[in-house]
Amino acid sequence: MKEVLMAMDTASQILDTIQMISEDNLDVRTVTLGISLLDCADSDVHRACARIEEKIVTKAKDLVSVADAVAGEYGVPVINKRITVTPIALVAAASGATNAADVLPYAEALDRAGKAVGVDFVGGYSALVEKGRTHADQALMESIPEALATTDIVCASVNLASTRTGINMAAAAQMGRHIKRAAELTADADGIGAAKLVVFNNAVGDNPFMAGGFHGVGEAETVINVGVSGPGVVERALRTVRGRPFEQVAEAIKTAAFKITRMGQLVGTTVAERLGVRFGIVDLSLAPTSAVGDSVAAILEEMGIEQVGAPGTTAALALLNDAVKKGGLMACGSVGGLSGSFIPVSEDINMINAAACGAINIAKLEAMTAICSVGLDMIAIPGETSAAAITGLIADECAIGIASQKTTAVRVIPVPGKGVGERAEFGGLLGWAPIMALPTASSELFAARGGRIPAPIHAFKN
């Protein structure tokens, strides 16, 4: 705690920081080490995998111990230690991968290496196919369901749309099938394989959060990125301005976000210095958990929304996101990742309660994704949901992101053997979720068209 106290300017700030940690669930949600694997590519898959394991173990051997030591010294919990790597489809291309069996060894190597260094997750079993697919991209996408079912800590993502390129609908249809298959292969755990898979529009290469994190090709050789969390801190700040105008609400959020971000930057830069790697960014996203007092939805309710989902919810979320970014940018010059507010259903107790009683539905969640950090996140849907319906959800989210020039994503779990009214149990930070209804009208003909939805006219800026 010594360094934290030295970093604060006044006694009141010291006491405030202690309260944020002890009472308001302030934590650094993740310290993520990004590692480039481009130099591990080889025409022989086994040599490539051996190089990957060696490089990850060499670069990340001290990540967990250093992050834990810094957490202990500063008195702030670091919940997860993670690794992101170069999208594996790019590495696998050198070995001539053309089918799922050619790529699965890479997933196994990532899983072994991650376990060897003791991290919670490894992200980057990924492909970037927003404009088209290589043979390696296709092979990796086909391998995703089995890769997620046979590994423990590997996370996968596919970016299939961007404002600049439009939506690759052939890839969206393929991922609709793979999400469903990933859930089916992990039916004994309520389809948790699908919870480790994200489909993106406008993905970023410095995202420290899972399951969508990967190490972008424009990043440094190794880099530390930090994801902060502090919904409880923001909620407490808003209690001091109850009934007051929204300008004061925004100021309270900005002040809280400033403090949260400063803490994240302090932890991140210290870990990076001790590991001898570059410090990258602080992701400002408010990441909730299913614990009471750690809810983004509770912040919206503190603004005056009786229950999240009521009229005014989207406006409240817009204010929250804007104020968090303004406060965070003042606190740290290296802001990146997704930066905003996550609204995962299973990971936020107030979202869980709203979904369980029907106060919020898929349509309202979709509207909120035009504002939030990511998109439809950790939503349990009936196991009988068709692949075409999932493809439609993906296309809708991509369209929202393209039109608003922001990142959007889909992480839905079609829970095998369960339907509306039942619940899925994922455990840990993933929490649990009531299974939500989807519209019943068919998307089969829409999903079957293939091709690409063109980029909007406002995409062409140069």
Side-chain angles (χ1 to χ4, degrees), residues 173-187:
Q174 185 178 357
M175 291 311 300
R177 296 190 296 271
H178 293 335
I179 289 170
K180 191 169 175 66
R181 182 60 177 157
E184 291 169 349
L185 290 178
T186 52

Side-chain angles (χ1 to χ4, degrees), residues 2 14 20 53 57 60 71 85 206 226 236 242 271 311 383 407 414 448:
K2 178 178 66 178
I14 293 170
M20 287 192 295
E53 286 191 63
V57 170
V85 299
D206 58 358
V226 170
R236 177 169 66 89
R242 280 181 179 169
V271 171
T407 303

Side-chain angles (χ1 to χ4, degrees), residues 246 300-301 303-317 358-360 364 367-368:
F246 282 113
L300 309 183
E301 292 167 358
M303 289 189 206
I305 304 297
E306 182 178 6
Q307 187 168 36
V308 66
T313 295
T314 306
L317 182 60
I360 198 163
K364 185 63 174 180
M368 293 169 69

Side-chain angles (χ1 to χ4, degrees), residues 274-311:
R274 294 186 185 179
L275 290 176
V277 304
R278 180 175 177 176
F279 173 68
I281 57 91
V282 176
D283 188 318
L284 305 179
S285 298
L286 294 179
T289 72
S290 55
V292 174
D294 202 21
S295 164
V296 169
I299 297 172
L300 309 183
E301 292 167 358
E302 182 60 39
M303 289 189 206
I305 304 297
E306 182 178 6
Q307 187 168 36
V308 66

